Amino acid sequence: NGDHRRPSDFAGRPIALFFGFTYCPDICPTTLLTLTAIQDQLAAEGKASDQLQILFVTVDPERDTPAQLNAYLSLFDTGVTGLTGTRTDIESALRHFGVYAEKTGDGDEYLFDHSAAVYLYRQDGRFKGTIVHNEPFEYMAEKIKAIL
């Protein structure tokens, strides 16, 4: 929605942090759907899954404006916070987290090859671990449960 966000805005609750882009044809929507399904399962088990903050940081700030992120993330049945910024801001975040992202293709039809890990943080801000793409659903759910 165009609000400036700081790390302190997310303090005090567990975080699942993911880097991607809204034009991603497969990994990004699959990851977001999986995280949503895990939240639903944990809620059904009586866990406080609504405490989990899912943060989606774009690797494509040129196309992923606040309006584009809002429209894309509204397609998922959970509260995902989309984060964008200047190219310089995004490059700094990529370096900080050690995320690989490389533009492929030319013109308006480009994509990004990018790291697909989900970074998990406890409510006290300490790093807990990662979820990797194609990891068994049960393992992912246990990892999320461990930070709630």
Side-chain angles (χ1 to χ4, degrees):
N1 62 13
D3 292 342
H4 289 271
R5 304 301 298 268
R6 303 271 181 246
S8 60
D9 296 337
F10 306 105
R13 290 177 44 208
I15 295 171
L17 175 70
F18 178 66
F19 289 83
F21 63 110
T22 64
Y23 290 82
C24 181
D26 48 22
I27 301 295
C28 299
T30 300
T31 299
L32 291 170
L33 287 170
T34 300
L35 290 172
T36 299
I38 290 169
Q39 272 191 310
D40 291 345
Q41 176 182 313
L42 295 177
E45 295 174 5
K47 306 293 183 213
S49 65
D50 60 334
Q51 289 299 304
L52 180 66
Q53 301 175 92
I54 300 174
L55 307 181
F56 180 85
V57 181
T58 185
V59 298
D60 186 12
E62 290 76 23
R63 291 188 295 191
D64 288 346
T65 63
Q68 173 65 21
L69 282 167
N70 190 35
Y72 177 74
L73 295 173
S74 71
L75 300 173
F76 300 92
D77 189 27
T78 193
V80 179
T81 300
L83 299 170
T84 189
T86 65
R87 171 51 62 191
T88 302
D89 292 337
I90 297 301
E91 293 292 336
S92 176
L94 295 173
R95 279 190 307 278
H96 176 79
F97 287 95
V99 173
Y100 166 79
E102 185 174 330
K103 187 176 179 179
T104 61
D106 294 313
D108 293 336
E109 300 299 316
Y110 65 88
L111 297 174
F112 278 86
D113 285 334
H114 63 90
S115 302
V118 177
Y119 299 83
L120 301 175
Y121 292 87
R122 296 178 177 101
Q123 68 182 13
D124 63 6
R126 291 183 312 163
F127 178 69
K128 171 65 176 166
T130 59
I131 292 173
V132 295
H133 184 68
N134 288 333
E135 191 169 343
F137 184 87
E138 298 78 23
Y139 293 176
M140 292 187 234
E142 286 299 318
K143 288 179 178 183
I144 297 279
K145 192 185 302 185
I147 64 171
L148 294 179

mmCIF file of all heavy atoms in Angstrom, residues 3-50:
data_model
loop_
_atom_site.group_PDB
_atom_site.id
_atom_site.type_symbol
_atom_site.label_atom_id
_atom_site.label_comp_id
_atom_site.label_asym_id
_atom_site.label_seq_id
_atom_site.Cartn_x
_atom_site.Cartn_y
_atom_site.Cartn_z
ATOM 1 N N ASP A 3 3.291 2.070 2.171
ATOM 2 C CA ASP A 3 3.865 2.452 3.455
ATOM 3 C C ASP A 3 5.323 2.054 3.519
ATOM 4 O O ASP A 3 5.711 1.004 3.023
ATOM 5 C CB ASP A 3 3.133 1.746 4.604
ATOM 6 C CG ASP A 3 1.705 2.231 4.778
ATOM 7 O OD1 ASP A 3 1.376 3.319 4.276
ATOM 8 O OD2 ASP A 3 0.927 1.500 5.422
ATOM 9 N N HIS A 4 6.128 2.888 4.155
ATOM 10 C CA HIS A 4 7.528 2.541 4.399
ATOM 11 C C HIS A 4 7.563 1.600 5.590
ATOM 12 O O HIS A 4 6.920 1.848 6.601
ATOM 13 C CB HIS A 4 8.362 3.793 4.681
ATOM 14 C CG HIS A 4 8.558 4.628 3.461
ATOM 15 N ND1 HIS A 4 9.604 4.434 2.605
ATOM 16 C CD2 HIS A 4 7.826 5.644 2.947
ATOM 17 C CE1 HIS A 4 9.506 5.294 1.606
ATOM 18 N NE2 HIS A 4 8.434 6.040 1.792
ATOM 19 N N ARG A 5 8.307 0.528 5.484
ATOM 20 C CA ARG A 5 8.392 -0.471 6.551
ATOM 21 C C ARG A 5 9.833 -0.593 7.015
ATOM 22 O O ARG A 5 10.769 -0.452 6.233
ATOM 23 C CB ARG A 5 7.887 -1.832 6.059
ATOM 24 C CG ARG A 5 6.469 -1.831 5.480
ATOM 25 C CD ARG A 5 5.392 -1.353 6.456
ATOM 26 N NE ARG A 5 5.240 -2.160 7.631
ATOM 27 C CZ ARG A 5 4.393 -3.173 7.761
ATOM 28 N NH1 ARG A 5 3.608 -3.511 6.761
ATOM 29 N NH2 ARG A 5 4.323 -3.844 8.881
ATOM 30 N N ARG A 6 9.988 -0.880 8.279
ATOM 31 C CA ARG A 6 11.293 -1.061 8.908
ATOM 32 C C ARG A 6 11.312 -2.434 9.576
ATOM 33 O O ARG A 6 10.255 -2.976 9.914
ATOM 34 C CB ARG A 6 11.519 0.007 9.988
ATOM 35 C CG ARG A 6 11.403 1.419 9.487
ATOM 36 C CD ARG A 6 12.751 1.900 8.999
ATOM 37 N NE ARG A 6 12.652 3.279 8.540
ATOM 38 C CZ ARG A 6 12.826 3.638 7.283
ATOM 39 N NH1 ARG A 6 13.085 2.751 6.369
ATOM 40 N NH2 ARG A 6 12.753 4.897 6.930
ATOM 41 N N PRO A 7 12.501 -2.995 9.828
ATOM 42 C CA PRO A 7 12.549 -4.292 10.523
ATOM 43 C C PRO A 7 11.778 -4.293 11.842
ATOM 44 O O PRO A 7 11.140 -5.279 12.198
ATOM 45 C CB PRO A 7 14.047 -4.512 10.736
ATOM 46 C CG PRO A 7 14.688 -3.788 9.589
ATOM 47 C CD PRO A 7 13.832 -2.553 9.393
ATOM 48 N N SER A 8 11.802 -3.178 12.550
ATOM 49 C CA SER A 8 11.105 -3.114 13.843
ATOM 50 C C SER A 8 9.591 -3.291 13.693
ATOM 51 O O SER A 8 8.919 -3.681 14.647
ATOM 52 C CB SER A 8 11.421 -1.799 14.557
ATOM 53 O OG SER A 8 11.001 -0.698 13.770
ATOM 54 N N ASP A 9 9.053 -3.020 12.499
ATOM 55 C CA ASP A 9 7.617 -3.206 12.253
ATOM 56 C C ASP A 9 7.199 -4.668 12.388
ATOM 57 O O ASP A 9 6.015 -4.961 12.590
ATOM 58 C CB ASP A 9 7.221 -2.718 10.855
ATOM 59 C CG ASP A 9 7.408 -1.230 10.658
ATOM 60 O OD1 ASP A 9 7.416 -0.490 11.668
ATOM 61 O OD2 ASP A 9 7.560 -0.816 9.492
ATOM 62 N N PHE A 10 8.143 -5.572 12.251
ATOM 63 C CA PHE A 10 7.841 -7.001 12.245
ATOM 64 C C PHE A 10 8.319 -7.713 13.507
ATOM 65 O O PHE A 10 8.221 -8.929 13.614
ATOM 66 C CB PHE A 10 8.457 -7.649 10.997
ATOM 67 C CG PHE A 10 8.032 -6.962 9.728
ATOM 68 C CD1 PHE A 10 8.899 -6.123 9.048
ATOM 69 C CD2 PHE A 10 6.749 -7.122 9.231
ATOM 70 C CE1 PHE A 10 8.501 -5.472 7.893
ATOM 71 C CE2 PHE A 10 6.341 -6.475 8.083
ATOM 72 C CZ PHE A 10 7.217 -5.640 7.415
ATOM 73 N N ALA A 11 8.822 -6.949 14.455
ATOM 74 C CA ALA A 11 9.365 -7.525 15.686
ATOM 75 C C ALA A 11 8.251 -8.124 16.541
ATOM 76 O O ALA A 11 7.106 -7.667 16.521
ATOM 77 C CB ALA A 11 10.110 -6.455 16.470
ATOM 78 N N GLY A 12 8.610 -9.177 17.286
ATOM 79 C CA GLY A 12 7.704 -9.748 18.259
ATOM 80 C C GLY A 12 6.801 -10.858 17.755
ATOM 81 O O GLY A 12 6.036 -11.433 18.529
ATOM 82 N N ARG A 13 6.880 -11.174 16.463
ATOM 83 C CA ARG A 13 6.096 -12.273 15.897
ATOM 84 C C ARG A 13 6.991 -13.069 14.955
ATOM 85 O O ARG A 13 7.891 -12.512 14.331
ATOM 86 C CB ARG A 13 4.889 -11.730 15.115
ATOM 87 C CG ARG A 13 3.844 -11.126 16.037
ATOM 88 C CD ARG A 13 2.665 -10.501 15.321
ATOM 89 N NE ARG A 13 2.146 -11.302 14.233
ATOM 90 C CZ ARG A 13 1.522 -10.778 13.172
ATOM 91 N NH1 ARG A 13 1.346 -9.479 13.053
ATOM 92 N NH2 ARG A 13 1.068 -11.558 12.219
ATOM 93 N N PRO A 14 6.741 -14.383 14.826
ATOM 94 C CA PRO A 14 7.572 -15.182 13.920
ATOM 95 C C PRO A 14 7.389 -14.748 12.469
ATOM 96 O O PRO A 14 6.334 -14.223 12.078
ATOM 97 C CB PRO A 14 7.073 -16.608 14.145
ATOM 98 C CG PRO A 14 5.742 -16.480 14.784
ATOM 99 C CD PRO A 14 5.706 -15.164 15.482
ATOM 100 N N ILE A 15 8.431 -15.003 11.672
ATOM 101 C CA ILE A 15 8.467 -14.554 10.278
ATOM 102 C C ILE A 15 8.881 -15.696 9.362
ATOM 103 O O ILE A 15 9.813 -16.444 9.666
ATOM 104 C CB ILE A 15 9.472 -13.394 10.103
ATOM 105 C CG1 ILE A 15 9.010 -12.168 10.881
ATOM 106 C CG2 ILE A 15 9.694 -13.059 8.628
ATOM 107 C CD1 ILE A 15 10.041 -11.056 10.950
ATOM 108 N N ALA A 16 8.191 -15.783 8.225
ATOM 109 C CA ALA A 16 8.611 -16.601 7.090
ATOM 110 C C ALA A 16 8.884 -15.613 5.969
ATOM 111 O O ALA A 16 7.967 -14.952 5.473
ATOM 112 C CB ALA A 16 7.528 -17.600 6.695
ATOM 113 N N LEU A 17 10.143 -15.463 5.585
ATOM 114 C CA LEU A 17 10.583 -14.450 4.617
ATOM 115 C C LEU A 17 10.949 -15.133 3.310
ATOM 116 O O LEU A 17 11.744 -16.084 3.301
ATOM 117 C CB LEU A 17 11.798 -13.713 5.187
ATOM 118 C CG LEU A 17 12.500 -12.700 4.306
ATOM 119 C CD1 LEU A 17 11.623 -11.474 4.094
ATOM 120 C CD2 LEU A 17 13.821 -12.298 4.927
ATOM 121 N N PHE A 18 10.383 -14.637 2.221
ATOM 122 C CA PHE A 18 10.575 -15.258 0.912
ATOM 123 C C PHE A 18 10.851 -14.182 -0.131
ATOM 124 O O PHE A 18 10.201 -13.137 -0.137
ATOM 125 C CB PHE A 18 9.313 -16.041 0.538
ATOM 126 C CG PHE A 18 9.349 -16.703 -0.808
ATOM 127 C CD1 PHE A 18 10.228 -17.740 -1.060
ATOM 128 C CD2 PHE A 18 8.501 -16.292 -1.822
ATOM 129 C CE1 PHE A 18 10.266 -18.354 -2.295
ATOM 130 C CE2 PHE A 18 8.531 -16.900 -3.064
ATOM 131 C CZ PHE A 18 9.409 -17.930 -3.298
ATOM 132 N N PHE A 19 11.813 -14.429 -1.024
ATOM 133 C CA PHE A 19 12.129 -13.513 -2.119
ATOM 134 C C PHE A 19 11.556 -14.075 -3.404
ATOM 135 O O PHE A 19 11.722 -15.260 -3.704
ATOM 136 C CB PHE A 19 13.649 -13.347 -2.258
ATOM 137 C CG PHE A 19 14.269 -12.570 -1.144
ATOM 138 C CD1 PHE A 19 14.597 -13.186 0.046
ATOM 139 C CD2 PHE A 19 14.508 -11.210 -1.278
ATOM 140 C CE1 PHE A 19 15.164 -12.481 1.096
ATOM 141 C CE2 PHE A 19 15.073 -10.491 -0.239
ATOM 142 C CZ PHE A 19 15.406 -11.127 0.950
ATOM 143 N N GLY A 20 10.906 -13.243 -4.196
ATOM 144 C CA GLY A 20 10.318 -13.685 -5.452
ATOM 145 C C GLY A 20 9.853 -12.502 -6.277
ATOM 146 O O GLY A 20 10.275 -11.365 -6.053
ATOM 147 N N PHE A 21 8.952 -12.761 -7.212
ATOM 148 C CA PHE A 21 8.405 -11.686 -8.037
ATOM 149 C C PHE A 21 7.037 -12.102 -8.550
ATOM 150 O O PHE A 21 6.742 -13.286 -8.687
ATOM 151 C CB PHE A 21 9.356 -11.297 -9.173
ATOM 152 C CG PHE A 21 9.641 -12.369 -10.193
ATOM 153 C CD1 PHE A 21 9.157 -12.275 -11.487
ATOM 154 C CD2 PHE A 21 10.412 -13.477 -9.862
ATOM 155 C CE1 PHE A 21 9.430 -13.256 -12.428
ATOM 156 C CE2 PHE A 21 10.693 -14.464 -10.787
ATOM 157 C CZ PHE A 21 10.196 -14.358 -12.076
ATOM 158 N N THR A 22 6.193 -11.118 -8.812
ATOM 159 C CA THR A 22 4.792 -11.400 -9.120
ATOM 160 C C THR A 22 4.578 -12.018 -10.491
ATOM 161 O O THR A 22 3.529 -12.602 -10.723
ATOM 162 C CB THR A 22 3.928 -10.130 -9.006
ATOM 163 O OG1 THR A 22 4.336 -9.174 -9.984
ATOM 164 C CG2 THR A 22 4.013 -9.528 -7.607
ATOM 165 N N TYR A 23 5.531 -11.900 -11.381
ATOM 166 C CA TYR A 23 5.402 -12.497 -12.713
ATOM 167 C C TYR A 23 5.997 -13.910 -12.767
ATOM 168 O O TYR A 23 6.080 -14.512 -13.831
ATOM 169 C CB TYR A 23 6.066 -11.607 -13.773
ATOM 170 C CG TYR A 23 5.299 -10.328 -14.010
ATOM 171 C CD1 TYR A 23 5.457 -9.225 -13.172
ATOM 172 C CD2 TYR A 23 4.397 -10.222 -15.067
ATOM 173 C CE1 TYR A 23 4.748 -8.048 -13.381
ATOM 174 C CE2 TYR A 23 3.686 -9.055 -15.289
ATOM 175 C CZ TYR A 23 3.866 -7.974 -14.434
ATOM 176 O OH TYR A 23 3.154 -6.820 -14.648
ATOM 177 N N CYS A 24 6.406 -14.430 -11.640
ATOM 178 C CA CYS A 24 6.997 -15.768 -11.547
ATOM 179 C C CYS A 24 5.941 -16.808 -11.942
ATOM 180 O O CYS A 24 4.839 -16.804 -11.402
ATOM 181 C CB CYS A 24 7.472 -16.010 -10.117
ATOM 182 S SG CYS A 24 8.243 -17.606 -9.836
ATOM 183 N N PRO A 25 6.271 -17.695 -12.860
ATOM 184 C CA PRO A 25 5.272 -18.651 -13.341
ATOM 185 C C PRO A 25 5.065 -19.876 -12.449
ATOM 186 O O PRO A 25 4.057 -20.567 -12.604
ATOM 187 C CB PRO A 25 5.826 -19.069 -14.698
ATOM 188 C CG PRO A 25 7.308 -18.919 -14.568
ATOM 189 C CD PRO A 25 7.512 -17.754 -13.635
ATOM 190 N N ASP A 26 5.978 -20.168 -11.525
ATOM 191 C CA ASP A 26 5.825 -21.436 -10.802
ATOM 192 C C ASP A 26 6.278 -21.412 -9.347
ATOM 193 O O ASP A 26 5.478 -21.615 -8.451
ATOM 194 C CB ASP A 26 6.531 -22.561 -11.547
ATOM 195 C CG ASP A 26 7.943 -22.206 -11.979
ATOM 196 O OD1 ASP A 26 8.552 -21.301 -11.397
ATOM 197 O OD2 ASP A 26 8.454 -22.848 -12.920
ATOM 198 N N ILE A 27 7.527 -21.178 -9.065
ATOM 199 C CA ILE A 27 8.069 -21.307 -7.713
ATOM 200 C C ILE A 27 7.383 -20.361 -6.728
ATOM 201 O O ILE A 27 6.992 -20.772 -5.630
ATOM 202 C CB ILE A 27 9.596 -21.067 -7.692
ATOM 203 C CG1 ILE A 27 10.322 -22.062 -8.587
ATOM 204 C CG2 ILE A 27 10.133 -21.105 -6.262
ATOM 205 C CD1 ILE A 27 10.223 -23.497 -8.151
ATOM 206 N N CYS A 28 7.223 -19.110 -7.089
ATOM 207 C CA CYS A 28 6.656 -18.128 -6.153
ATOM 208 C C CYS A 28 5.208 -18.440 -5.786
ATOM 209 O O CYS A 28 4.885 -18.504 -4.596
ATOM 210 C CB CYS A 28 6.791 -16.713 -6.713
ATOM 211 S SG CYS A 28 8.518 -16.236 -6.984
ATOM 212 N N PRO A 29 4.324 -18.637 -6.770
ATOM 213 C CA PRO A 29 2.943 -18.954 -6.362
ATOM 214 C C PRO A 29 2.846 -20.283 -5.623
ATOM 215 O O PRO A 29 2.062 -20.412 -4.677
ATOM 216 C CB PRO A 29 2.159 -18.963 -7.675
ATOM 217 C CG PRO A 29 3.158 -19.044 -8.757
ATOM 218 C CD PRO A 29 4.443 -18.483 -8.217
ATOM 219 N N THR A 30 3.643 -21.261 -6.012
ATOM 220 C CA THR A 30 3.623 -22.547 -5.322
ATOM 221 C C THR A 30 4.061 -22.384 -3.870
ATOM 222 O O THR A 30 3.444 -22.943 -2.948
ATOM 223 C CB THR A 30 4.539 -23.562 -6.038
ATOM 224 O OG1 THR A 30 4.073 -23.737 -7.371
ATOM 225 C CG2 THR A 30 4.565 -24.898 -5.319
ATOM 226 N N THR A 31 5.109 -21.624 -3.638
ATOM 227 C CA THR A 31 5.590 -21.398 -2.275
ATOM 228 C C THR A 31 4.539 -20.677 -1.437
ATOM 229 O O THR A 31 4.276 -21.062 -0.293
ATOM 230 C CB THR A 31 6.907 -20.596 -2.298
ATOM 231 O OG1 THR A 31 7.881 -21.354 -3.020
ATOM 232 C CG2 THR A 31 7.411 -20.310 -0.888
ATOM 233 N N LEU A 32 3.919 -19.657 -2.002
ATOM 234 C CA LEU A 32 2.902 -18.920 -1.250
ATOM 235 C C LEU A 32 1.684 -19.791 -0.962
ATOM 236 O O LEU A 32 1.116 -19.739 0.139
ATOM 237 C CB LEU A 32 2.514 -17.648 -1.996
ATOM 238 C CG LEU A 32 3.615 -16.583 -2.029
ATOM 239 C CD1 LEU A 32 3.254 -15.462 -2.994
ATOM 240 C CD2 LEU A 32 3.858 -16.019 -0.638
ATOM 241 N N LEU A 33 1.278 -20.617 -1.912
ATOM 242 C CA LEU A 33 0.165 -21.540 -1.676
ATOM 243 C C LEU A 33 0.519 -22.560 -0.597
ATOM 244 O O LEU A 33 -0.322 -22.905 0.241
ATOM 245 C CB LEU A 33 -0.232 -22.247 -2.974
ATOM 246 C CG LEU A 33 -0.979 -21.391 -3.990
ATOM 247 C CD1 LEU A 33 -1.095 -22.125 -5.324
ATOM 248 C CD2 LEU A 33 -2.352 -20.997 -3.465
ATOM 249 N N THR A 34 1.749 -23.041 -0.607
ATOM 250 C CA THR A 34 2.188 -24.002 0.404
ATOM 251 C C THR A 34 2.192 -23.370 1.790
ATOM 252 O O THR A 34 1.719 -23.977 2.755
ATOM 253 C CB THR A 34 3.578 -24.561 0.054
ATOM 254 O OG1 THR A 34 3.505 -25.215 -1.219
ATOM 255 C CG2 THR A 34 4.072 -25.537 1.099
ATOM 256 N N LEU A 35 2.712 -22.157 1.905
ATOM 257 C CA LEU A 35 2.726 -21.478 3.200
ATOM 258 C C LEU A 35 1.300 -21.251 3.708
ATOM 259 O O LEU A 35 1.019 -21.413 4.899
ATOM 260 C CB LEU A 35 3.493 -20.160 3.108
ATOM 261 C CG LEU A 35 5.002 -20.280 2.921
ATOM 262 C CD1 LEU A 35 5.625 -18.911 2.651
ATOM 263 C CD2 LEU A 35 5.661 -20.961 4.112
ATOM 264 N N THR A 36 0.398 -20.919 2.807
ATOM 265 C CA THR A 36 -1.009 -20.745 3.168
ATOM 266 C C THR A 36 -1.608 -22.057 3.659
ATOM 267 O O THR A 36 -2.325 -22.092 4.670
ATOM 268 C CB THR A 36 -1.807 -20.211 1.958
ATOM 269 O OG1 THR A 36 -1.269 -18.944 1.577
ATOM 270 C CG2 THR A 36 -3.270 -20.060 2.280
ATOM 271 N N ALA A 37 -1.320 -23.140 2.952
ATOM 272 C CA ALA A 37 -1.832 -24.456 3.346
ATOM 273 C C ALA A 37 -1.285 -24.873 4.711
ATOM 274 O O ALA A 37 -2.013 -25.458 5.533
ATOM 275 C CB ALA A 37 -1.488 -25.501 2.283
ATOM 276 N N ILE A 38 -0.027 -24.572 4.978
ATOM 277 C CA ILE A 38 0.563 -24.884 6.284
ATOM 278 C C ILE A 38 -0.134 -24.090 7.376
ATOM 279 O O ILE A 38 -0.479 -24.638 8.432
ATOM 280 C CB ILE A 38 2.083 -24.623 6.278
ATOM 281 C CG1 ILE A 38 2.792 -25.655 5.403
ATOM 282 C CG2 ILE A 38 2.646 -24.641 7.698
ATOM 283 C CD1 ILE A 38 4.245 -25.339 5.112
ATOM 284 N N GLN A 39 -0.369 -22.804 7.138
ATOM 285 C CA GLN A 39 -1.082 -21.996 8.127
ATOM 286 C C GLN A 39 -2.458 -22.584 8.406
ATOM 287 O O GLN A 39 -2.875 -22.675 9.561
ATOM 288 C CB GLN A 39 -1.238 -20.554 7.639
ATOM 289 C CG GLN A 39 -0.086 -19.665 7.997
ATOM 290 C CD GLN A 39 -0.395 -18.216 7.733
ATOM 291 O OE1 GLN A 39 -0.851 -17.861 6.647
ATOM 292 N NE2 GLN A 39 -0.133 -17.371 8.696
ATOM 293 N N ASP A 40 -3.167 -22.976 7.360
ATOM 294 C CA ASP A 40 -4.501 -23.562 7.527
ATOM 295 C C ASP A 40 -4.439 -24.848 8.345
ATOM 296 O O ASP A 40 -5.257 -25.069 9.244
ATOM 297 C CB ASP A 40 -5.144 -23.843 6.170
ATOM 298 C CG ASP A 40 -5.516 -22.578 5.411
ATOM 299 O OD1 ASP A 40 -5.546 -21.486 6.022
ATOM 300 O OD2 ASP A 40 -5.774 -22.685 4.192
ATOM 301 N N GLN A 41 -3.479 -25.704 8.040
ATOM 302 C CA GLN A 41 -3.347 -26.973 8.761
ATOM 303 C C GLN A 41 -3.030 -26.730 10.230
ATOM 304 O O GLN A 41 -3.626 -27.348 11.112
ATOM 305 C CB GLN A 41 -2.259 -27.849 8.144
ATOM 306 C CG GLN A 41 -2.033 -29.144 8.929
ATOM 307 C CD GLN A 41 -0.929 -29.998 8.365
ATOM 308 O OE1 GLN A 41 -0.891 -30.221 7.161
ATOM 309 N NE2 GLN A 41 -0.036 -30.467 9.223
ATOM 310 N N LEU A 42 -2.099 -25.830 10.491
ATOM 311 C CA LEU A 42 -1.725 -25.558 11.877
ATOM 312 C C LEU A 42 -2.870 -24.910 12.640
ATOM 313 O O LEU A 42 -3.076 -25.203 13.824
ATOM 314 C CB LEU A 42 -0.462 -24.708 11.933
ATOM 315 C CG LEU A 42 0.802 -25.382 11.394
ATOM 316 C CD1 LEU A 42 1.986 -24.425 11.432
ATOM 317 C CD2 LEU A 42 1.123 -26.656 12.153
ATOM 318 N N ALA A 43 -3.635 -24.061 11.990
ATOM 319 C CA ALA A 43 -4.812 -23.466 12.636
ATOM 320 C C ALA A 43 -5.825 -24.547 12.995
ATOM 321 O O ALA A 43 -6.414 -24.529 14.079
ATOM 322 C CB ALA A 43 -5.444 -22.418 11.728
ATOM 323 N N ALA A 44 -6.019 -25.514 12.097
ATOM 324 C CA ALA A 44 -6.943 -26.626 12.356
ATOM 325 C C ALA A 44 -6.468 -27.473 13.536
ATOM 326 O O ALA A 44 -7.283 -28.095 14.227
ATOM 327 C CB ALA A 44 -7.099 -27.489 11.104
ATOM 328 N N GLU A 45 -5.151 -27.493 13.766
ATOM 329 C CA GLU A 45 -4.582 -28.228 14.904
ATOM 330 C C GLU A 45 -4.587 -27.396 16.182
ATOM 331 O O GLU A 45 -4.086 -27.832 17.211
ATOM 332 C CB GLU A 45 -3.142 -28.642 14.591
ATOM 333 C CG GLU A 45 -3.004 -29.635 13.465
ATOM 334 C CD GLU A 45 -1.545 -29.907 13.099
ATOM 335 O OE1 GLU A 45 -0.633 -29.395 13.788
ATOM 336 O OE2 GLU A 45 -1.328 -30.630 12.115
ATOM 337 N N GLY A 46 -5.115 -26.174 16.103
ATOM 338 C CA GLY A 46 -5.185 -25.317 17.281
ATOM 339 C C GLY A 46 -3.945 -24.498 17.545
ATOM 340 O O GLY A 46 -3.800 -23.897 18.607
ATOM 341 N N LYS A 47 -3.032 -24.449 16.595
ATOM 342 C CA LYS A 47 -1.814 -23.647 16.742
ATOM 343 C C LYS A 47 -2.106 -22.199 16.379
ATOM 344 O O LYS A 47 -2.993 -21.909 15.576
ATOM 345 C CB LYS A 47 -0.688 -24.178 15.844
ATOM 346 C CG LYS A 47 -0.373 -25.639 16.037
ATOM 347 C CD LYS A 47 0.211 -25.906 17.389
ATOM 348 C CE LYS A 47 0.589 -27.377 17.497
ATOM 349 N NZ LYS A 47 0.444 -27.892 18.815
ATOM 350 N N ALA A 48 -1.353 -21.284 16.937
ATOM 351 C CA ALA A 48 -1.541 -19.856 16.685
ATOM 352 C C ALA A 48 -0.878 -19.445 15.379
ATOM 353 O O ALA A 48 -0.016 -18.576 15.340
ATOM 354 C CB ALA A 48 -0.994 -19.044 17.848
ATOM 355 N N SER A 49 -1.291 -20.071 14.289
ATOM 356 C CA SER A 49 -0.654 -19.814 12.994
ATOM 357 C C SER A 49 -0.909 -18.404 12.488
ATOM 358 O O SER A 49 -0.180 -17.919 11.630
ATOM 359 C CB SER A 49 -1.104 -20.842 11.962
ATOM 360 O OG SER A 49 -2.481 -20.708 11.695
ATOM 361 N N ASP A 50 -1.923 -17.730 13.012
ATOM 362 C CA ASP A 50 -2.183 -16.350 12.604
ATOM 363 C C ASP A 50 -1.101 -15.405 13.104
ATOM 364 O O ASP A 50 -1.008 -14.262 12.647
ATOM 365 C CB ASP A 50 -3.558 -15.889 13.075
ATOM 366 C CG ASP A 50 -3.704 -15.933 14.589
ATOM 367 O OD1 ASP A 50 -3.007 -16.731 15.251
ATOM 368 O OD2 ASP A 50 -4.534 -15.157 15.098
#
